[in-house]
Amino acid sequence: MTFNGIEKGSDGTSVTIPNPAQSGSGEALAAPHPEPTPLSTDPSRYGTVRLGDRIFRGLAEGSGVLIVVIIAAIGFFLLWRAIPALARNEQNFFLYSGNWITTDTSAMQFGILDLLQVTVFVSVFALLLAMPIALGIAIYLTNYAPNRVVGPLSYMVDLLAAVPSIIYGVWGLYVLAPVIRPLALWLNETLGGWLFLFSTGNASVAGGGTIFTAGIVLAVMILPIITAVTREVFVQTPRGQIEAALALGATRWEVVRTTVLPFGMSGYISGAMLGLGRALGETIALLIILRGTQQAFGWSLFDAGYTFASKIASAASEFNDQYKAGAYIAAGLVLFILTFVVNSLARAAVSGKDRSAS
C-alpha cells in the first residue's frame, strides 16, 4: 500500500516513492563534468631542469635576439649615416631621376627613382623567367625522374649556386649576349613598334648590355634557390594522399595537379620570394653586364642603367667623404627596406595559402 509517498513491500521494508507533483518536467539534471586540466609542456614544472637544457635554451633565445639586434643595428647605422647627406640634397630623393652630382658636398643632387625602377624591373623579369623553369624541374625530380637521375640532376642544378657572380657577369656579356643578339634584334624589330617592353631603349640592342641580357643571367643565378626550396617541399607531400589519388584512377599528372601542387604551393612561393631577394641584391654580375647611361629609364627590356647595388659598387672611390658616401648609403637604406617589404609580402602570401588550405 502507498501512504504519504511510502510504500511497504511484502517483506516489511519501506520504499520511498517520489511525488509526481514535485517531479518537475521530468528532465534529469546532471552535475557539470569538470574539464581536465591541460598538461603543461614546460619540463621545469615536473622536475628540475638539467643544466644542458638551460644552456641550450639560453643559446637558442640569445640567437633569436641577436639576429633582431643585428638587423636593427644595420638599419640604424644606415639611417644615421644617410641623414647628413640627405640634409644637403637639393632634389627630391624619391622622385629625382637625373644624374648624381655629389662633387659639391654643400649642394648635392641625387635621387633613387631610376635605381628603384631598374632594380625592380630586372629582378621581376628574371623571376618571371626562373619560376616556371624551377617549377618544372622540381616536378620532374620529385614525380617523374628515375632514381638514378634524381641525384645527379639535383646536384647539377645546385651547382649553379656555387658559380661566382663575376663569372656569371663575364659569361653573360661575352658569351650569352652574342648568342641571343638575333633574338633581341628580332623582338625589337617585330614587337617594338607596338609593345613598349621591346621598344628601342637607351642602350644598343646589338651591344647586349641591356636588361634583356641581365635578366636572363639573373634568372640562371636564382634558379637553384627556387628549385631547391620547391623540390624539398614537394618531397614532403603526404604519401597517403598520393596513393589515394592513384587508387582512384588518377594519372601521374592528375596526382601532381591535385595533391603535390596544392600541398607545396606555399613552399614554391617562398622559394620564389627568396630568389627575388637574391636578385634585388645582386651586384657584380649586373655591374658588368648593364651599361651605365645618362638617359632616363623607359621601361624597355633594351634599356640600361644601374640597380641599387651596382650603383653603390661603381662609386666605391667616393666613399672617402662622409657626405658622398652618405648619398649612396641612403640608396642602400632604400634597398634594405625594399628587401624587408619583399620578405613581408612573401610571409603574408605563405600564411594566406596555409589558412586557405586548412
Side-chain angles (χ1 to χ4, degrees):
M1 61 178 295
T2 302
F3 182 75
N4 290 335
I6 300 177
E7 180 180 347
K8 290 186 178 181
S10 59
D11 57 353
T13 59
S14 299
V15 179
T16 302
I17 299 176
N19 189 352
Q22 299 176 356
S23 62
S25 61
E27 297 179 355
L29 300 177
H33 185 72
E35 293 290 335
T37 303
L39 296 177
S40 175
T41 57
D42 186 3
S44 62
R45 181 174 181 178
Y46 302 102
T48 303
V49 181
R50 290 179 293 182
L51 179 61
D53 292 336
R54 292 180 179 178
I55 294 176
F56 179 78
R57 181 174 181 176
L59 290 175
E61 292 180 350
S63 300
V65 173
L66 180 63
I67 292 299
V68 176
V69 171
I70 290 176
I71 293 175
I74 292 175
F76 175 77
F77 167 78
L78 294 175
L79 182 61
W80 174 54
R81 294 297 302 270
I83 287 177
L86 292 174
R88 301 191 176 199
N89 186 18
E90 296 185 345
Q91 301 292 336
N92 188 311
F93 177 67
F94 295 100
L95 299 180
Y96 179 69
S97 60
N99 298 329
W100 282 49
I101 302 176
T102 57
T103 306
D104 185 4
T105 56
S106 62
M108 296 190 296
Q109 299 181 17
F110 59 91
I112 57 139
L113 182 60
D114 268 2
L115 301 181
L116 178 63
Q117 292 175 342
V118 174
T119 301
V120 172
F121 190 48
V122 69
S123 300
V124 172
F125 176 59
L127 188 66
L128 292 177
L129 294 178
M131 284 184 66
I133 300 175
L135 181 62
I137 295 174
I139 292 176
Y140 175 73
L141 290 177
T142 56
N143 294 275
Y144 290 94
N147 293 332
R148 65 179 183 275
V149 176
V150 173
L153 185 57
S154 300
Y155 179 75
M156 292 177 62
V157 174
D158 294 339
L159 199 61
L160 292 175
V163 179
S165 297
I166 190 170
I167 302 300
Y168 274 117
V170 174
W171 170 77
L173 185 61
Y174 295 104
V175 178
L176 180 64
V179 172
I180 64 174
R181 182 182 297 122
L183 175 62
L185 292 173
W186 181 84
L187 291 173
N188 178 243
E189 296 171 358
T190 306
L191 304 178
W194 58 275
L195 186 59
F196 70 94
L197 291 175
F198 301 103
S199 61
T200 302
N202 55 24
S204 171
V205 178
T210 61
I211 291 176
F212 184 70
T213 305
I216 296 175
V217 173
L218 202 54
V220 177
M221 297 178 69
I222 66 177
L223 183 64
I225 302 175
I226 306 175
T227 304
V229 175
T230 306
R231 185 182 71 240
E232 292 301 322
V233 176
F234 283 178
V235 169
Q236 303 302 322
T237 304
R239 190 65 191 174
Q241 296 183 12
I242 297 177
E243 293 177 353
L246 292 173
L248 292 174
T251 62
R252 185 70 63 87
W253 167 242
E254 288 172 341
V255 171
V256 172
R257 184 171 54 86
T258 59
T259 60
V260 177
L261 289 179
F263 178 82
M265 188 55 63
S266 61
Y268 176 53
I269 295 175
S270 298
M273 292 301 102
L274 286 175
L276 179 59
R278 169 76 171 82
L280 290 173
E282 176 53 39
T283 306
I284 299 301
L286 298 186
L287 180 62
I288 295 174
I289 297 174
L290 285 178
R291 301 298 188 187
T293 178
Q294 305 296 333
Q295 302 179 25
F297 178 69
W299 293 99
S300 171
L301 289 173
F302 303 117
D303 276 329
Y306 289 104
T307 63
F308 282 111
S310 63
K311 182 68 173 180
I312 295 171
S314 66
S317 61
E318 300 184 28
F319 291 172
N320 57 349
D321 183 89
Q322 63 170 337
Y323 298 107
K324 294 180 180 180
Y328 297 97
I329 290 177
L333 177 61
V334 176
L335 179 60
F336 182 74
I337 297 173
L338 182 61
T339 55
F340 262 91
V341 172
V342 170
N343 291 331
S344 299
L345 293 177
R347 183 166 294 276
V350 172
S351 300
K353 289 289 182 180
D354 293 339
R355 285 195 298 267
S356 62
S358 60

